[in-house]
Amino acid sequence: MAHALYTQLDGKRILVAGAGVTGAACARALAKRGSVVTIVDEKVTELDVFTIITPERVKFSNFDLLLVSPGWREDHPVVVAARTARIALINEVDLAWSLKAPGQKWLALTGTNGKTTTVELAAAMLRSGGLTAIACGNVGTTVIEVIESTEKYDYLVLELSSFQLHWLEDAEFVSSAVLNIAQDHLDWHGSFDAYAKAKLSILDKSATAILNSDDGEIVLRTTHWQGRKVFFSLDTPSPGEIGVVEELLVDRAFVADPQEAAMICELIEVTPTVPHNVSNALAAAGLARTVGVSHEDIRIAITEFAPGRHRIETVLERDGITWINDSKATNPHAASAAIMSALSVIWIAGGLAKGAEMGELVERIKSRVRVAILIGEDRELIAKELTEHAPQIEIIRVDAPAAYSKGGESNALMESVIRTAHEHAKSGDTVLLAPACASMDQFISYGDRGDRFKLAVEKVVRDGK
């Protein structure tokens, strides 16, 4: 049932915090329903016909509600002022929930890594089973944009970030999956405990939880949750679980007799067949089974599915050297998964660490890495741990050439990185962009970083320029 705050939007004076993709979509949806919308943003000055003000100009006596975009923190002066003025806060996902079509059902997924691939695979499984479904949320298309579109869906599969979950109150899910919990966004949440609690708050909105029992944090932190828990792992599943038996993915949770096991697919049909990708396929299958998609339809979706760009994406194979773009590995946990799927790695890393520590990552991957090529603002965090825990790994720092500027036409930085990697790589090596850091110090986004990597590999390695 819709929260009272969302039922009477006509005439409400609403301040939207943030003029980015989410804020803009919410502002349009609210204005369409008769709300008087103002946007507060420190950088954007124009958006459609909306009035945009800077934070210092906000007077909450002029507003009834504050809609908070997910990246805004509790300690932002605008949020603090709203709470002081006892102005109610609303958010995009709950707004979309209040406006959704009757009968539409939502599934959700969170985790530190693998979210986008898994929600897209889960949505593909639902479509394979004849259901109208779309992946949305943190995945690219906002939830409110899907609700506002002319396309009608029976099911939404939401990718939810820790920021979105922090603000979420009203939305409810048929089922949700938690893939993993590792250090990330500690600069935003303040501590790992606060981050983990935000992630696992998804369970309080869910009837069934699909949980990774290979992740100790998830197992420990869900002990007292009272809903239906279905664990998945890369081990042989017990009754009521999903897992792997020899060369098969099997379901012992959503079957008539838990003593029996139904085949989901063959291990080799999950591509790429690396551990974290198999784990993600199990999670997606669990979500799909909660809404009745058959094992056969799930298998069809798995065999036809191709992971998105910038996620363990093979760019080139030449002279026994494989060049892989995993620019989406923006934290240590994701980088570790990518590195451990290869045997001898030239590792390209660095950027903005977002408060994450690198020691555990280096300990885990030190036997796989031959050379580390480091770039970006926080590269010394990685260099320090490599020097201390893996002195056998050669460290090469590459600075941005004078010709390079963030977002500019020159690709001199990544071309310099690729030339360095090319000089050091030998047959059997994997040259892997898995930065363990965010990209915004030197690139527009992780997509921009990955695209520049691919262009540089094609120019330097393939074309020899």
Side-chain angles (χ1 to χ4, degrees):
M1 191 171 140
H3 192 288
L5 293 173
Y6 299 100
T7 53
Q8 293 294 328
L9 295 172
D10 189 16
K12 278 280 191 299
R13 302 169 303 166
I14 301 179
L15 181 65
V16 174
V21 174
T22 301
C26 288
R28 293 177 185 124
L30 291 165
K32 181 176 158 186
R33 286 162 179 82
S35 301
V36 181
V37 177
T38 304
I39 298 174
V40 54
D41 197 287
E42 289 159 297
K43 296 174 183 172
V44 179
T45 56
E46 286 185 24
L47 178 68
D48 299 351
V49 297
F50 296 110
T51 300
I52 300 183
I53 60 175
T54 52
E56 59 272 14
R57 290 180 55 205
V58 173
K59 291 186 176 62
F60 275 106
S61 56
N62 297 330
F63 300 102
D64 303 306
L65 298 169
L66 172 66
L67 187 140
V68 186
S69 294
W72 287 56
R73 288 164 42 157
E74 286 281 1
D75 61 0
H76 192 285
V78 171
V79 177
V80 172
R83 294 218 186 271
T84 303
R86 299 186 180 281
I87 296 293
L89 273 61
I90 62 177
N91 62 84
E92 177 246 344
V93 178
D94 285 338
L95 174 63
W97 175 256
S98 73
L99 301 175
K100 72 180 182 64
Q104 185 183 76
K105 293 182 172 63
W106 289 12
L107 292 76
L109 181 143
T110 196
T112 304
N113 299 302
K115 297 185 294 294
T116 300
T117 300
T118 313
V119 291
E120 288 176 343
L121 177 55
M125 289 173 178
L126 268 61
R127 290 193 294 269
S128 178
L131 306 175
T132 56
I134 187 172
C136 59
N138 200 44
V139 70
T141 306
T142 62
V143 189
I144 195 73
E145 285 174 314
V146 171
I147 294 296
E148 292 289 88
S149 76
T150 54
E151 295 286 329
K152 301 304 170 198
Y153 298 97
D154 296 326
Y155 292 89
L156 304 190
V157 186
L158 278 65
E159 175 189 327
L160 295 175
S161 69
S162 58
F163 307 151
Q164 289 169 309
L165 287 165
H166 172 84
W167 295 110
L168 192 67
E169 291 186 2
D170 299 333
E172 296 176 1
F173 311 116
V174 174
S175 56
S176 63
V178 185
L179 300 179
N180 41 61
I181 301 178
Q183 285 195 11
D184 201 12
H185 301 302
L186 303 194
D187 51 349
W188 197 95
H189 290 278
S191 69
F192 176 70
D193 190 55
Y195 169 72
K197 283 179 177 172
K199 285 289 189 190
L200 291 170
S201 68
I202 197 171
L203 303 187
D204 298 328
K205 317 285 193 296
S206 310
T208 299
I210 312 297
L211 302 170
N212 184 358
S213 63
D214 290 330
D215 189 300
E217 287 291 342
I218 292 174
V219 175
L220 181 67
R221 291 171 180 269
T222 58
T223 305
H224 300 296
W225 186 67
Q226 296 300 307
R228 183 190 182 191
K229 288 184 276 197
V230 175
F231 284 105
F232 65 92
S233 79
L234 299 176
D235 291 330
T236 301
S238 298
E241 297 179 351
I242 303 173
V244 179
V245 177
E246 296 178 349
E247 301 302 311
L248 302 177
L249 277 63
V250 299
D251 174 11
R252 296 189 70 186
F254 302 95
V255 288
D257 181 359
Q259 299 307 317
E260 301 294 325
M263 184 183 83
I264 297 170
C265 69
E266 294 184 38
L267 189 61
I268 198 72
E269 291 173 327
V270 180
T271 54
T273 313
V274 293
H276 64 277
N277 211 38
V278 175
S279 185
N280 294 343
L282 290 166
L287 287 175
R289 290 295 291 146
T290 65
V291 294
V293 179
S294 72
H295 297 103
E296 294 79 7
D297 288 327
I298 288 172
R299 183 179 188 177
I300 289 167
I302 288 173
T303 58
E304 293 179 350
F305 186 76
R309 294 165 64 233
H310 311 300
R311 196 73 186 95
I312 315 187
E313 181 184 11
T314 300
V315 175
L316 184 69
E317 293 181 61
R318 175 169 290 187
D319 301 326
I321 302 164
T322 304
W323 299 78
I324 291 181
N325 165 29
D326 198 24
S327 184
K328 208 163 189 286
T330 57
N331 56 58
H333 188 267
S336 172
I339 294 165
M340 296 306 289
S341 66
L343 292 174
S344 178
V345 176
I346 309 287
W347 179 32
I348 301 166
L352 295 173
K354 303 175 291 179
E357 297 173 0
M358 298 293 168
E360 190 176 320
L361 167 64
V362 169
E363 279 288 349
R364 180 158 167 73
I365 56 90
K366 63 185 181 183
S367 65
R368 302 293 180 98
V369 176
R370 281 206 312 111
V371 179
I373 300 172
L374 303 182
I375 61 174
E377 193 169 306
D378 291 333
R379 67 185 182 186
E380 291 308 316
L381 292 176
I382 302 172
K384 176 178 175 292
E385 298 296 344
L386 286 168
T387 301
E388 189 171 330
H389 299 293
Q392 77 282 6
I393 296 174
E394 182 180 358
I395 300 171
I396 304 170
R397 296 167 178 85
V398 175
D399 297 317
Y404 179 78
S405 63
K406 177 178 166 181
E409 285 188 25
S410 168
N411 198 23
L413 170 56
M414 200 57 86
E415 287 172 10
S416 180
V417 167
I418 297 307
R419 285 194 182 93
T420 304
H422 199 206
E423 287 165 7
H424 288 79
K426 58 189 183 184
S427 181
D429 282 346
T430 296
V431 179
L432 174 65
L433 173 67
C437 293
S439 59
M440 285 76 75
D441 53 338
Q442 295 180 310
F443 305 93
I444 296 170
S445 63
Y446 76 78
D448 176 50
R449 178 170 61 190
D451 288 338
R452 288 177 179 274
F453 173 83
K454 288 160 67 178
L455 287 170
V457 169
E458 287 163 5
K459 179 178 177 179
V460 173
V461 183
R462 189 190 68 190
D463 301 336
K465 292 181 181 177

